[in-house]
Amino acid sequence: MTSVNSIFGSMVFGDDVMKERLPKETYVALQQTIKSGAALDISIANVVASAMKEWAIGKGATHYTHWFQPMTGITAEKHDSFIAPAEGGKAIMEFSGKTLVKGEPDASSFPSGGLRATFEARGYTAWDPTSYAFVKDGCLYIPTAFCSYGGQALDKKTPLLRSMEAINRQALRVLRLFGNTEAQAVRTTVGPEQEYFLIDKAMYDRRRDLIYTGRTLFGARAPKGQEMEDHYFGAIKPRVKAFMQELDEELWKVGVLAKTEHNEVAPAQHELAPIFTTTNIACDHNQLTMELLKNVAARHGMVCLLHEKPFDGVNGSGKHNNWSISTDTGVNLLEPGDTPADNAQFLLFLTAVIKAVDEYQDLLRISVASAGNDHRLGANEAPPAIVSMFLGDELDGVLTAIEKGAAYDGTKRGSLAIGADVLPKLPKDSTDRNRTSPFAFTGNKFEFRMLGSSESIACANIMLNTAVAEALSCFADELEGAKDFSVALNKLIRREISAHRRIIFNGNGYNDEWVAEAERRGLLNLRTTPDCLTHYMDPKNVRLFEKHGVFTEQEMAARHDIILENYSKTLLIEARTMVDMATRDYLPAVTAYAGKLAADVNAIMALGVNVEDKKALIARLCELSSLAYADLDVLSAAISRVEAISDVTERAFIAKDALLPAMQTLRSHIDSLEVITSREAWGVPGYGDMLFSVR
Ligand code: ADP
Ligand code: MG
């Protein structure tokens, strides 16, 4: 393998390249624009565009694309070539500042939730200069935000950038209160750990459910599943190893800091963790990672499944969003400090996160809601649908002491006066023991574990950033007006911890007792996407986003509708796929198998041998088939019913209540048939084939 140094970022138009290729004034002007967030002067843009084009052509690019993240959750691109006609029937390679800064994709088919009337259907893309451009597959990728001409966000990146700006503004106010005049910007940082499955392409190609929906809709459990836990951190199989190596190289080339790759608990399940970076870049990089996972797998004769629950009865896949807040001077604001003053600041930021998670638990749950993720969060699997926070015993002890105004560790201390005492050392490992918590403090960052493996991390971070911005804003309002800062700070932290203690839970989140306890505490338990979405437009949420300039009410309404539409569509496609597979694959296979058995029975009977057991098997096959045919009628009727509803909310609820149970019943009968039908007659690869297909 080539050295990491020589390939890392080799296809990125990053800082080094800019320094080298841009005239000094242009470089400085660009950096200033990036810092201030102001619009880029066209004369600067022209110089940057020209340098970028020359560099990209040198890297083999012939095309460029404004790469954006529409509300579908995936990325979109339209490739244009650099080519422009020149005199004498010749062509030149052209790329202007205007084309760099602003693009107009013909993107009228992307969901807009009614934000875009068809007469102005095109919208435009705007360069996000904080996320570097890169070359991939002969194309220059320019990370952009996608807006309507009215300025409404049509993508996931615009509100993400707005939420980062919101938390920047409020965190700076708080830092100034602590006498910090150095920091000019505060950024949230994210390191998303990505889980996925790898299966053999030959198996995948024979599973219509995987092809159409990304998950298996049928399939009896294999004799062996994950019970031995022999896969977790186990030796990586050669074929997977080769895949991971190539994946790392591809990611490094485009500047993604892929760091750790290991096997997960379920057979065929793996995880990739990058080194954290600024949130909008982490989001771009995670999208790139998901894309490259798929592309590289294909080159190795495998398919990468990013669905949250590809296999029933086997662990699903999620994404752990490691999140923190840092200053531009490199200080992690969630790092407990060594001095009393640092710790007072740490405790205030910590309290802000606690308040935010409690007050906006609905938004955090909504941010990860999808038909796929419902199979993890709503079911008996990690983590539960109830949002709670884990702080670890030490930190919890500190907060309890503050709340009670009592000594933290017995005799040594008097009351724990914030800003006067040093925090006890928090052993790092003690904070990360609880793997069942959806939102865990892990030493100097929080790990939000509810995200689905296929989802963009943008939504979760938009909600988190904005909710914490709001808490910080309330704190700053109160403390800026205080006569005695220390006294006011103590009072505030104490009051807020008491008010939001209910969100802190250090026990086992998979326990049934927790569900009851959470209900007593008044915490929300939103099991499904439609349940979640009924809270989205709550006045407190609209107020939050409008106050911080992250979403207008109209933009929220659009997103609300898109999420629900997406949910219903997903369920409908799954239901139709089940009807198709049962009707055209499984049930004909069973009939043929029963017919063959019947012929065999006749032949055997002629020999005078007892055939009662075989007749019983035929009867059972026929009985289960009849049940499945009846299930198909029920499911088809449910499909028609859902299709006829136009209201998005009603449609989603009916899809959940009518389709899901009918799908489950059909599946149970088909799965029962699978285990009594010969492998050969069944014809479709089963769970064992798929889960143990990559060797
Ligand atoms: P593990 O969870 O395996 O113990 P770490 O806790 O070191 O590993 O890191 C997990 C993820 O958290 C990595 O992607 C890492 O880059 C990220 N991470 C570490 N520090 C921060 C931070 N300050 N902000 C955001 N993410 C972070
Ligand atoms: Mg971790």
Side-chain angles (χ1 to χ4, degrees):
M1 194 167 79
T2 14
S3 86
V4 179
N5 262 341
S6 68
I7 53 174
F8 188 81
S10 60
M11 300 304 254
V12 181
F13 192 71
D15 199 54
D16 288 355
V17 186
M18 288 194 221
K19 246 186 217 145
E20 184 192 313
R21 295 193 167 237
L22 294 175
K24 187 138 194 283
E25 331 70 85
T26 312
Y27 174 79
V28 172
L30 179 62
Q31 291 307 315
Q32 253 153 19
T33 319
I34 290 174
K35 265 203 184 126
S36 69
L40 196 64
D41 189 90
I42 188 69
S43 61
I44 301 170
N46 277 329
V47 180
V48 178
S50 163
M52 207 187 258
K53 179 198 71 181
E54 289 308 320
W55 168 84
I57 290 171
K59 295 284 176 191
T62 52
H63 289 64
Y64 67 90
T65 184
H66 275 206
W67 187 58
F68 61 104
Q69 299 167 24
M71 292 189 270
T72 50
I74 51 168
T75 57
E77 49 197 76
K78 178 189 96 176
H79 295 195
D80 282 304
S81 76
F82 288 123
I83 225 158
E87 262 175 61
K90 295 223 168 85
I92 51 162
M93 300 294 247
E94 195 180 82
F95 187 56
S96 68
K98 195 163 148 275
T99 358
L100 164 65
V101 172
K102 191 166 173 175
E104 295 190 44
D106 182 12
S108 47
S109 294
F110 289 112
S112 77
L115 279 181
R116 207 174 24 182
T118 32
F119 65 83
E120 54 155 28
R122 291 165 74 98
Y124 68 90
T125 49
W127 182 32
D128 167 16
T130 60
S131 182
Y132 297 138
F134 56 92
V135 168
K136 183 168 78 69
D137 304 326
C139 184
L140 170 67
Y141 282 72
I142 302 157
T144 59
F146 180 39
C147 295
S148 78
Y149 276 99
Q152 287 139 328
L154 294 174
D155 66 350
K156 293 184 183 257
K157 177 161 230 182
T158 308
L160 180 65
L161 292 169
R162 291 175 184 163
S163 75
M164 290 168 66
E165 187 42 38
I167 198 167
N168 173 46
R169 260 192 315 265
Q170 304 306 332
L172 280 176
R173 285 177 69 196
V174 169
L175 287 180
R176 298 292 181 253
L177 287 167
F178 284 91
N180 181 331
T181 50
E182 264 178 26
Q184 293 308 307
V186 170
R187 298 265 172 270
T188 52
T189 49
V190 167
E193 301 165 59
Q194 173 77 47
E195 291 180 332
Y196 59 93
F197 280 83
L198 282 178
I199 65 166
D200 193 275
K201 173 125 188 350
M203 302 290 161
Y204 174 90
D205 285 342
R206 291 164 61 207
R207 294 284 314 206
R208 280 171 207 281
D209 43 6
L210 286 179
I211 294 171
Y212 295 142
T213 73
R215 74 175 179 111
T216 55
L217 300 167
F218 297 101
R221 304 246 167 118
K224 177 177 173 173
Q226 65 188 51
E227 49 280 271
M228 305 289 283
E229 301 204 339
D230 51 356
H231 190 253
Y232 192 50
F233 278 71
I236 298 172
K237 298 182 184 103
R239 203 166 153 202
V240 175
K241 183 90 210 153
F243 156 83
M244 285 178 173
Q245 240 160 38
E246 187 175 334
L247 176 67
D248 279 343
E249 282 186 33
E250 292 293 313
L251 287 169
W252 291 337
K253 275 191 215 162
V254 292
V256 178
L257 293 150
K259 168 118 177 110
T260 330
E261 310 246 17
H262 65 76
N263 288 353
E264 265 298 330
V265 177
Q269 195 185 28
H270 309 278
E271 183 189 289
L272 180 148
I275 295 171
F276 71 97
T277 178
T278 314
T279 304
N280 62 319
I281 298 170
C283 182
D284 285 357
H285 283 182
N286 183 249
Q287 296 290 347
L288 262 177
T289 302
M290 292 195 284
E291 194 184 314
L292 284 168
L293 275 164
K294 293 196 165 220
N295 296 349
V296 176
R299 283 184 231 144
H300 290 253
M302 299 187 286
V303 174
C304 173
L305 303 177
L306 289 172
H307 195 281
E308 285 74 20
K309 194 73 181 172
F311 303 100
D312 195 38
V314 169
N315 269 13
S317 298
K319 215 150 13 199
H320 291 176
N321 191 80
N322 293 274
W323 177 93
S324 193
I325 331 174
S326 289
T327 64
D328 56 348
T329 51
V331 179
N332 180 349
L333 298 170
L334 292 177
E335 176 88 51
D338 291 326
T339 67
D342 281 352
N343 281 323
Q345 185 181 299
F346 161 73
L347 285 171
L348 188 66
F349 277 96
L350 178 75
T351 307
V353 180
I354 295 171
K355 179 182 170 76
V357 174
D358 186 29
E359 286 183 350
Y360 297 100
Q361 42 177 294
D362 50 349
L363 287 180
L364 290 179
R365 174 65 185 91
I366 288 164
S367 76
V368 297
S370 68
N373 215 14
D374 281 0
H375 296 290
R376 297 171 65 232
L377 303 178
N380 213 359
E381 187 170 323
I386 305 163
V387 177
S388 70
M389 292 174 90
F390 171 84
L391 297 178
D393 292 342
E394 282 78 9
L395 199 50
D396 202 58
V398 171
L399 296 189
T400 307
I402 293 172
E403 200 185 339
K404 299 208 173 101
Y408 167 63
D409 56 356
T411 51
K412 272 194 283 148
R413 287 159 202 277
S415 76
L416 197 112
I418 298 144
D421 279 4
V422 180
L423 277 184
K425 270 267 163 275
L426 306 173
K428 193 167 183 282
D429 63 341
S430 78
T431 57
D432 200 20
R433 261 181 233 134
N434 189 329
R435 308 300 296 175
T436 68
S437 175
F439 203 98
F441 183 70
T442 51
N444 59 4
K445 62 184 192 296
F446 277 98
E447 188 166 339
F448 183 27
R449 302 193 176 120
M450 291 172 103
L451 288 77
S453 49
S454 72
E455 293 168 345
S456 158
I457 63 168
C459 283
N461 288 292
I462 293 167
M463 305 298 193
L464 193 52
N465 291 345
T466 313
V468 176
E470 169 62 10
L472 291 171
S473 148
C474 295
F475 292 179
D477 287 347
E478 185 173 331
L479 296 173
E480 277 166 357
K483 280 204 204 75
D484 183 327
F485 178 68
S486 254
V487 172
L489 180 69
N490 273 279
K491 199 175 114 205
L492 181 151
I493 292 184
R494 229 165 126 173
R495 183 193 69 222
E496 294 296 331
I497 290 169
S498 288
H500 301 294
R501 167 152 293 283
R502 64 170 188 168
I503 198 75
I504 299 167
F505 175 63
N506 291 319
N508 182 355
Y510 301 164
N511 230 321
D512 282 345
E513 285 143 42
W514 168 233
V515 176
E517 164 70 15
E519 197 179 335
R520 275 195 298 280
R521 293 188 187 190
L523 299 179
L524 291 168
N525 184 2
L526 305 170
R527 299 186 81 94
T528 69
T529 300
D531 295 332
C532 287
L533 269 289
T534 51
H535 290 271
Y536 193 33
M537 300 299 291
D538 284 354
K540 79 168 188 23
N541 296 338
V542 176
R543 264 199 313 275
L544 171 80
F545 288 122
E546 291 206 316
K547 172 175 168 187
H548 294 279
V550 173
F551 286 130
T552 61
E553 182 166 6
Q554 208 190 3
E555 285 172 332
M556 287 179 73
R559 268 151 229 266
H560 169 272
D561 286 5
I562 288 170
I563 296 169
L564 283 178
E565 268 166 22
N566 193 285
Y567 176 84
S568 306
K569 277 185 199 159
T570 303
L571 262 56
L572 275 171
I573 293 169
E574 289 183 349
R576 289 191 204 112
T577 303
M578 290 187 85
V579 170
D580 180 71
M581 288 175 76
T583 313
R584 300 174 62 198
D585 293 322
Y586 295 130
L587 290 169
V590 171
T591 308
Y593 179 56
K596 184 179 172 302
L597 277 179
D600 291 350
V601 163
N602 277 334
I604 297 169
M605 216 159 38
L607 303 173
V609 178
N610 183 315
V611 289
E612 288 316 306
D613 50 353
K614 288 167 195 66
K615 279 190 185 166
L617 173 59
I618 296 171
R620 179 82 184 127
L621 288 167
C622 294
E623 182 196 354
L624 282 167
S625 288
S626 301
L627 290 170
Y629 276 114
D631 298 339
L632 276 171
D633 289 341
V634 174
L635 185 54
S636 300
I639 291 173
S640 306
R641 198 173 146 215
V642 175
E643 282 171 341
I645 301 167
S646 54
D647 178 77
V648 286
T649 304
E650 191 190 345
R651 191 175 160 107
F653 272 102
I654 305 282
K656 166 171 86 78
D657 295 331
L659 291 178
L660 284 176
M663 286 159 67
Q664 190 46 48
T665 314
L666 173 63
R667 175 177 186 151
S668 71
H669 290 138
I670 298 286
D671 290 357
S672 302
L673 281 164
E674 182 181 344
V675 294
I676 55 170
T677 303
S678 81
R679 223 180 289 276
E680 190 193 3
W682 194 251
V684 178
Y687 267 34
D689 302 320
M690 287 182 282
L691 288 168
F692 298 93
S693 63
V694 174
R695 278 186 285 269

